[in-house]
Amino acid sequence: MKDKSAKTNFQIHELLTRRWSPRAFDAQKIEKEKLQRIFEAARWSPSASNEQPWHFIIGEKGDETFARIFETLVEFNQLWVKTAPLAGIIVGRENLLSNGKINFWYKYDVGQAAAHMSFQATHEGLFVHQMGGFDREKARELFHIPEGFEAISAFTIGYIGDYNVLHPNLQRLELEERTRKSTDEFVFSDNFGKKSELI
Ligand SMILES: Cc1cc2nc3c(=O)[nH]c(=O)nc-3n(C[C@H](O)[C@H](O)[C@H](O)COP(=O)(O)O)c2cc1C
């Protein structure tokens, strides 16, 4: 298995270093206790006004929920998601429970819950791969997602698998170097775009 840990410029928490988005998963089922802890982590994510606008639909390979999630995916994602033991869709609630108005931060909060989920999964020896490549309207239909809610992203969770089972083009991606912008490009002081001297 190739080591895809982040090559960081400064030392960060090893959970953050270890997380990456594989496409080859092992068929091994995920233990229920681990899944409970993973979604407990999402539960304790922060959100604007504590609105907790996240909802997760999850299915195991072989069940009806998994099959429906799979059906919503773009072809490219179907190529590799077939190796995953668990798939999910994250649905966000657009309106505030308190007054019914649009919650500007709902997608931001859904993303934070996904991050919490990912790091707990990493802690459990698992990997998460999030996906924007799926048909949101199909997900709405197949899962009867009501108005006022939106399917925002799909994901898989599983133990890492052997990349040799993947299509050759995907194997290449699995071996590719991971890259990031430098912090100079996104941490600013003074004006937007001006590199901060604080770090
Ligand atoms: C919102 C979101 C959508 C993504 N959509 C896809 C996707 O449809 N298919 C895919 O293979 N990877 C997808 N990815 C994975 C990204 O390509 C990946 O996170 C990015 O290249 C950084 O790599 P790393 O997660 O291994 O650090 C998505 C990730 C996020 C957070």
Side-chain angles (χ1 to χ4, degrees):
M1 225 66 69
K2 185 171 158 72
D3 176 21
K4 295 264 286 193
S5 296
K7 295 186 178 64
T8 61
N9 291 338
F10 301 95
Q11 200 180 341
I12 59 174
H13 197 286
E14 68 76 37
L15 270 187
L16 301 166
T17 317
R18 251 197 299 133
R19 185 216 61 81
W20 67 282
S21 305
R23 294 189 174 88
F25 289 95
D26 193 89
Q28 191 185 336
K29 232 173 108 100
I30 305 172
E31 298 82 346
K32 189 173 201 161
E33 304 71 43
K34 289 196 173 186
L35 287 176
Q36 286 167 334
R37 291 194 290 266
I38 286 167
F39 291 103
E40 185 69 12
R43 179 175 173 236
W44 285 99
S45 182
S47 60
S49 306
N50 200 17
E51 283 273 337
Q52 305 160 64
W54 47 75
H55 303 267
F56 296 80
I57 301 172
I58 57 171
E60 259 185 350
K61 192 170 185 176
D63 73 16
E64 171 63 24
T65 306
F66 186 103
R68 277 194 248 160
I69 292 169
F70 192 83
E71 209 182 316
T72 69
L73 300 176
V74 298
E75 217 178 313
F76 171 78
N77 287 331
Q78 286 186 338
L79 269 181
W80 59 268
V81 171
K82 62 182 176 202
T83 73
L86 188 128
I89 284 186
I90 315 184
V91 177
R93 174 175 35 80
E94 294 165 343
N95 298 316
L96 294 162
L97 286 175
S98 50
N99 59 14
K101 289 191 177 150
I102 279 278
N103 177 4
F104 174 79
W105 295 281
Y106 91 94
K107 286 187 187 168
Y108 181 89
D109 291 343
V110 164
Q112 296 203 71
H116 275 58
M117 168 183 82
S118 299
F119 294 122
Q120 185 66 33
T122 309
H123 179 62
E124 306 289 353
L126 291 155
F127 289 84
V128 172
H129 195 137
Q130 302 181 54
M131 289 167 279
F134 75 107
D135 185 332
R136 288 192 296 276
E137 282 318 305
K138 197 177 232 176
R140 181 183 296 289
E141 255 172 57
L142 293 177
F143 292 106
H144 307 286
I145 298 170
E147 279 303 306
F149 292 78
E150 181 154 38
I152 294 173
S153 70
F155 63 94
T156 56
I157 311 182
Y159 292 99
I160 198 117
D162 183 352
Y163 59 77
N164 288 306
V165 302
L166 294 172
H167 183 278
N169 292 345
L170 293 179
Q171 284 184 29
R172 220 166 302 134
L173 290 175
E174 213 72 348
L175 296 171
E176 223 172 40
E177 201 65 36
R178 295 174 63 215
T179 60
R180 286 300 190 266
K181 293 179 188 171
S182 90
T183 49
D184 291 354
E185 296 174 78
F186 64 87
V187 184
F188 306 144
S189 290
D190 194 6
N191 283 325
F192 184 89
K194 177 135 187 287
K195 161 183 165 358
S196 178
E197 298 300 334
L198 293 176
I199 65 167

